Structures are given as structure tokens and as C-alpha cells.
Amino acid sequence: MPNTLTTTAALAEFCARAADAPYVTVDTEFLRERTYFAQLCLVQLALPGTDDSDAVLVDPLADGMSLDPLYDLFRSPDVVKVFHAARQDLEIFHVEGGVVPAPLFDTQVAAMVCGFGDQVGYETLVRRIAKASLDKSSRFTDWSRRPLSDAQKTYALADVTHLRQIYEYLSAELARTGRTHWLEEELAYLTNADNYVVDPEEAWRRLKLRSNSGRMLAIAKELAAFRERYAQERNVPRNRIVKDDALVELASTKPKSVQDLGKSRLLLRDARKGAIAEGLVAAVARGLAVPNSELPKPAPGKDRSNLNPALADLLRVLLKAKAEEANVAPKLLASSSDLDDIASGHVEGAWSHGWRHEVFGADAERLLRGEIALSAKGQKVKIVAV
């Protein structure tokens, strides 16, 4: 059975060994259905090699367990930290330990730039690269309950043992194809700690508002900020307090008293009384009191009045050709919205810099300038200099 570390001393001993390794693979098991912040229940780690003794489970729920030795390892510049689909794991470690593991390698992102498609799953990579299969029967179990079953432990450990072979394969493939810098550009966003801090003052931007009225936006901003702070302070999911559609309704109806909240069609019962109700009414009042000169403005949309449909169609053909040539999914290079922006004269976007510019953007700009044309040769689209 997998080795489970339940003391800080045992974790420190393993991390000391890991500090001399070129990389360590990492995964987590957590719960988030009933809390605002994820509850970290298990950490899986594996060192290079094929020996299962080099793979361990770390129990953060064990009495007296401190993850500080692990956080020190995460800060080491000499050890690559390998994850698959790392974002939620990174958020947990940033909240729990104030650290974003670096240097980082995300096999989902790496697989994307190696031609495996967009957001390829771990199970797919295990099957295609490690030539193995996963038992997913323990996937949705309660990871906070102790003791963990043998099936849970085996399932959890597989998430880091196969990851070693996947990492080594993808790392070599990136070097072979000269695409390592593609990955580095994509990972720059993941390793930015600002991405894991939720600012209550910006929470309103996630709402799907039905109006761009400055006053409604001001009220929605105050309501969303109240909900976010309330959820964070009590570690409760935000939608357990007030759902998004109810917040939008309140921003529109502007209730001025707790009694007015009773007229809401969408508000949860617990939000119609007590601290939540009082907080909602106070938030509406703050939104109503914002001076006209300080009302928030919606994000400016891009003007597409000059959209050239024929040019947009040509760009779609070019995108498909360049994606096939590079063996990447077209939407990784540019979205349909991006193509419409380009055909409307907007020359800024993810496609206009970095590796996307190398693969697609540069030729899109040449097409706009009339320097290239497209022709068909059999089943292939060819780029022809003009």
C-alpha cells in the first residue's frame, strides 16, 4: 500500500530527498462543495523513477501536521513542480501557504502545445503516453473522511506516478519541436499570484447584468462585494448566500428595506432576514449613494461596425490551415470572436503576440496588408505571396 506521511518530520525527510531531484510530481484531493475556500484533504507527491517507494501521500488533516516543508520545496528554484491542470491546486497552495509553486510544468498546458488538443484530460494522457488505464471509482469519494480506503490511496497515487512518464515525454517533445517557449508563455499566467486573490470590489464583473446603466452597475458592485466578503469571512460558498440571478434582480429592483426584500422572486429564504438581509439593503443604499461622476462603467466593447465578412471568412480558412500545419487546435490560436475583431480592424489580442503570433498572427497581418493570398491544392490550403 502507498506510504502515507502523517507527521511533519516524515514530510520534511521526503522533501529533503526531493530537493535533490530534478522534478517532483504533485496532485491534491480536496472538497469545496460546502465551503468558500477549498479544504485540502490530501497531497500526492512522486520523485523521478518507477519505484513506488518514491511516491507518497501526505495527510494534511493529521494531528500536528504542518506543510511548511512542502512549501519550502515549492519555493526551490532547482526542482520543477509538475502538475496536471494546475490552477485549482495552485489556488489552494496560495491560500493555505502563501506560495505559488515554481518553476512549474503543467502537463495539460504542455499537451496543448504538443498537439493533443485543448484541455486534454489526465486519463487521456495516461492512456496515450503511459499506455495504462486508471480506476476512476474513487474519484468522487469524501476525501475528508478517515481512514482512507486502500482503493482511495491507490487511486490518488496514480495521479502522480503516471505523471512522471507524461512529464518526461512532453518535456522531451517540447525540446524536440522548439516549443518550450510556447509553454513558458502560457505558464506565466498560472504562476502569477494575483490570479488567486479574489478582490470583493471586482466580484461584480462576473455577473451577467441585463443593463449597462451606471446606477445599476454601482448597486450590483456593492451587492457582489458584500456577498464576497460575507462568504469569505464565514467560509461559505457565495451561491449559498445569494445566487447570481437574485443579485441581478436586487440591482434592478433596488430594495430600500428588509421588508422590500420579501418581494424578491429569487432570493433564498435565509437571505430575507438577519445579517444577510441587512447587508443586502445596506449594499443597495451604498450603490444608490455613489455620485454620478463615480459610477462604474462596463468594459468597453469592440466596435465591429466595420466588419468585413469576406475577410473574416478568409481568416477562418487561414486559421484552419495554420492550425493543421502546427498540429494544434484552431481555437488555441484564435477564437471566432478574435477573427471578427481582426476583420473589423482591431489589431490587438492574444493572437497578436507570442507564440500565437508566430504560428498564426503574423500571417493574419500579412493577409490584411494584401501581402499573401490563399489557394487550394488538393486537400490543402496554401499561402501564396502576392
Side-chain angles (χ1 to χ4, degrees):
M1 278 297 102
N3 184 20
T4 303
L5 309 183
T6 58
T7 68
T8 305
L11 175 60
E13 181 180 349
F14 180 86
C15 290
R17 290 173 54 208
D20 294 326
Y23 70 84
V24 58
T25 57
V26 189
D27 191 39
T28 67
E29 305 298 341
F30 58 88
L31 298 178
R32 200 170 194 166
E33 292 80 5
R34 299 184 295 272
T35 58
Y36 181 93
F37 299 104
Q39 179 188 6
L40 182 60
C41 299
L42 196 68
V43 181
Q44 304 98 281
L45 304 169
L47 301 180
T50 58
D51 190 341
D52 283 350
S53 66
D54 288 327
V56 299
L57 305 178
V58 180
D59 187 355
L61 303 183
D63 289 343
M65 171 62 85
S66 169
L67 296 183
D68 285 346
L70 179 62
Y71 298 145
D72 288 340
L73 177 64
F74 283 168
R75 295 184 182 97
S76 171
D78 301 321
V79 183
V80 177
K81 274 63 75 171
V82 182
F83 293 77
H84 180 82
R87 197 189 191 292
Q88 290 191 84
D89 299 320
L90 299 186
E91 180 183 356
I92 291 171
F93 290 129
H94 184 263
V95 171
E96 294 271 338
V99 59
V100 176
L104 176 75
F105 190 101
D106 188 322
T107 57
Q108 185 177 71
V109 181
M112 173 191 78
V113 300
C114 286
F116 284 83
D118 184 29
Q119 295 186 327
V120 60
Y122 180 65
E123 187 173 7
T124 299
L125 293 182
V126 169
R127 185 175 65 253
R128 294 177 62 179
I129 295 176
K131 309 301 182 186
S133 60
L134 294 177
D135 177 4
K136 307 298 286 185
S137 60
S138 297
R139 183 176 184 181
F140 297 110
T141 56
D142 184 349
W143 292 99
S144 67
R145 298 187 64 178
R146 294 295 183 271
L148 295 173
S149 68
D150 290 346
Q152 283 178 302
K153 293 179 180 180
T154 300
Y155 164 85
L157 207 66
D159 281 345
V160 287
T161 52
H162 295 305
L163 195 55
R164 298 178 292 196
Q165 187 176 350
I166 292 169
Y167 163 68
E168 291 174 3
Y169 174 88
L170 291 174
S171 181
E173 187 67 8
L174 289 168
R176 184 187 69 80
T177 58
R179 295 183 178 184
T180 301
H181 68 289
W182 291 21
L183 179 67
E184 291 170 351
E185 287 180 27
E186 298 302 300
L187 294 184
Y189 175 85
L190 277 177
T191 53
N192 183 351
D194 292 343
N195 295 319
Y196 307 106
V197 178
V198 178
D199 181 359
E201 296 301 318
E202 296 297 314
W204 67 281
R205 298 188 186 278
R206 293 195 302 267
L207 298 174
K208 295 180 180 178
L209 298 166
R210 296 188 292 265
S211 169
N212 287 331
S213 158
R215 184 61 57 192
M216 183 174 179
L217 295 182
I219 297 171
K221 180 178 179 180
E222 294 295 339
L223 286 167
F226 161 73
R227 180 181 68 169
E228 207 72 23
R229 292 192 186 95
Y230 192 96
Q232 290 176 348
E233 290 167 1
R234 292 159 178 81
N235 196 21
V236 177
R238 62 176 69 89
N239 282 337
R240 293 268 184 101
I241 301 166
V242 185
K243 294 185 182 296
D244 285 0
D245 55 358
L247 274 191
V248 173
E249 179 190 40
L250 296 180
S252 177
T253 58
K254 308 176 184 62
K256 295 181 173 58
S257 68
V258 172
Q259 289 71 29
D260 288 343
L261 293 178
K263 302 173 186 177
S264 168
R265 297 180 300 106
L266 303 173
L267 205 58
L268 297 172
R269 181 182 303 173
D270 289 345
R272 298 171 186 265
K273 58 186 178 181
I276 298 177
E278 292 170 3
L280 292 173
V281 171
V284 171
R286 288 193 298 272
L288 289 170
V290 174
N292 289 338
S293 60
E294 298 176 14
L295 293 175
K297 295 179 175 59
K302 291 182 178 178
D303 180 9
R304 291 181 179 167
S305 58
N306 293 325
L307 174 65
N308 182 332
L311 179 56
D313 288 341
L314 279 176
L315 287 165
R316 285 173 171 77
V317 174
L318 176 65
L319 176 63
K320 187 173 186 298
K322 298 301 292 186
E324 288 179 353
E325 181 182 308
N327 190 28
V328 295
K331 65 180 179 179
L332 299 179
L333 298 174
S335 67
S336 180
S337 180
D338 287 333
L339 299 183
D340 288 341
D341 286 341
I342 300 170
S344 300
H346 302 293
V347 293
E348 286 295 328
W351 61 272
S352 65
H353 57 267
W355 70 271
R356 290 176 175 84
H357 186 260
E358 291 178 30
V359 177
F360 166 71
D363 280 330
E365 291 168 347
R366 293 171 65 201
L367 185 65
L368 292 178
R369 294 193 297 265
E371 296 173 1
I372 61 172
L374 304 178
S375 69
K377 185 175 181 180
Q379 300 295 317
K380 297 288 186 181
V381 172
K382 298 291 184 180
I383 296 174
V384 180
V386 176

